Amino acid sequence: MNEPVQSNVPIIDKVNMDAIEAFCREVYYCDPYTSMHEEHVAELMAGLASQLGMNSNEISLAFIVGLVHDVGKIKIPEYILTKPGKLTAEEFSIMKEHAEQGAAMLAAVEGADFIVPIMRHHHERYDGNGYPSGLSGTSIPLLSRMLAVCDSFDAMTTHRCYREPVTLEASVEEIRHCSGTQFDPAIAEVFIQFLKERFGFSI
């Protein structure tokens, strides 16, 4: 893929990492599972960015974005975050607010303003049926489209309070199934190749 991450991406060193780390600690104290999930997604984002041929600054950006993508969940009531069963329509509506909440929190971090749209749109879908804005295709920021597949993969393959993890093979099949609808098909293809190389077998 030759698509740029974002025009005029600043040097990552200008981001106030003390504020980022403070957010990460707050997420951990609020919900250790979400904190672990963010760490996993950060690693996947860096790996996918490398697989896409991005430069070191872009890879660092991808890692940071993964590390804070769910920071808005700090604002979500604990009973919803840790509910063992399916969320009601009202609860899911509240849960969806974490994308906007996270964007607002990152807007206050020095040097991180360029991360704000990535946070806001990481639950958009390639077919336009996501939230909060119903963006579609390449109108969704590239790193948001990358987050969509990394986030979903980790969610599928790790234990959740409401279900057991699925196998690697099943998760890859689901990514393929959702390519072109939930996921950018080009990114999904590269992500699957990344998984093949990371886990060292054919899937």
Side-chain angles (χ1 to χ4, degrees), residues 66-88:
L67 205 57
V68 297
H69 78 281
D70 272 345
V71 69
K73 288 185 177 179
I74 293 172
K75 305 293 187 179
I76 304 301
E78 183 180 1
Y79 80 92
I80 294 178
L81 279 180
T82 59
K83 183 176 179 177
K86 184 178 179 180
L87 298 180
T88 66

Side-chain angles (χ1 to χ4, degrees), residues 103-115:
M105 293 169 73
L106 266 295
V109 176
E110 181 182 358
D113 54 306
F114 62 97
I115 300 178

Side-chain angles (χ1 to χ4, degrees), residues 6 12 37 73 90 171 173:
Q6 186 175 342
I12 297 303
H37 168 66
K73 288 185 177 179
E90 181 180 0
S171 68
E173 184 58 33

Side-chain angles (χ1 to χ4, degrees), residues 11-199:
I11 301 300
I12 297 303
D13 290 346
K14 294 183 179 179
V15 178
N16 184 343
M17 291 306 297
D18 288 340
I20 297 294
E21 290 170 6
F23 280 147
C24 292
R25 286 194 298 272
E26 192 171 352
V27 171
Y28 176 79
Y29 291 127
C30 175
D31 180 20
Y33 168 79
T34 297
S35 177
M36 178 186 67
H37 168 66
E38 289 190 320
E39 291 176 5
H40 291 172
V41 172
E43 293 173 0
L44 291 168
M45 284 288 287
L48 176 56
S50 179
Q51 191 80 24
L52 286 165
M54 293 181 177
N55 63 40
S56 59
N57 190 58
E58 293 167 337
I59 293 170
S60 296
L61 170 59
F63 182 86
I64 292 172
V65 164
L67 205 57
V68 297
H69 78 281
D70 272 345
V71 69
K73 288 185 177 179
I74 293 172
K75 305 293 187 179
I76 304 301
E78 183 180 1
Y79 80 92
I80 294 178
L81 279 180
T82 59
K83 183 176 179 177
K86 184 178 179 180
L87 298 180
T88 66
E90 181 180 0
E91 289 167 343
F92 184 59
S93 179
I94 294 171
M95 177 67 87
K96 290 196 297 184
E97 294 175 3
H98 80 274
E100 293 275 24
Q101 295 277 14
M105 293 169 73
L106 266 295
V109 176
E110 181 182 358
D113 54 306
F114 62 97
I115 300 178
V116 172
I118 299 169
M119 295 297 94
R120 179 172 290 118
H121 299 300
H122 77 276
H123 279 291
E124 305 286 359
R125 289 171 51 108
Y126 196 73
D127 61 7
N129 291 319
Y131 63 89
S133 302
L135 301 183
S136 64
T138 56
S139 64
I140 304 168
L142 175 57
L143 286 172
S144 299
R145 282 176 275 143
M146 291 167 60
L147 269 172
V149 68
C150 293
D151 187 16
S152 295
F153 173 79
D154 187 69
M156 286 188 284
T157 56
T158 55
H159 178 80
R160 294 244 167 166
C161 59
Y162 51 87
R163 63 152 177 79
E164 293 298 314
V166 304
T167 65
L168 178 63
E169 291 83 359
S171 68
V172 169
E173 184 58 33
E174 181 65 12
I175 290 169
R176 286 186 172 128
H177 177 71
C178 296
S179 176
T181 53
Q182 182 176 356
F183 306 127
D184 180 323
I187 290 175
E189 181 180 351
V190 175
F191 184 71
I192 291 171
Q193 183 59 41
F194 161 66
L195 293 178
K196 289 180 179 180
E197 295 182 12
R198 175 169 177 169
F199 292 102

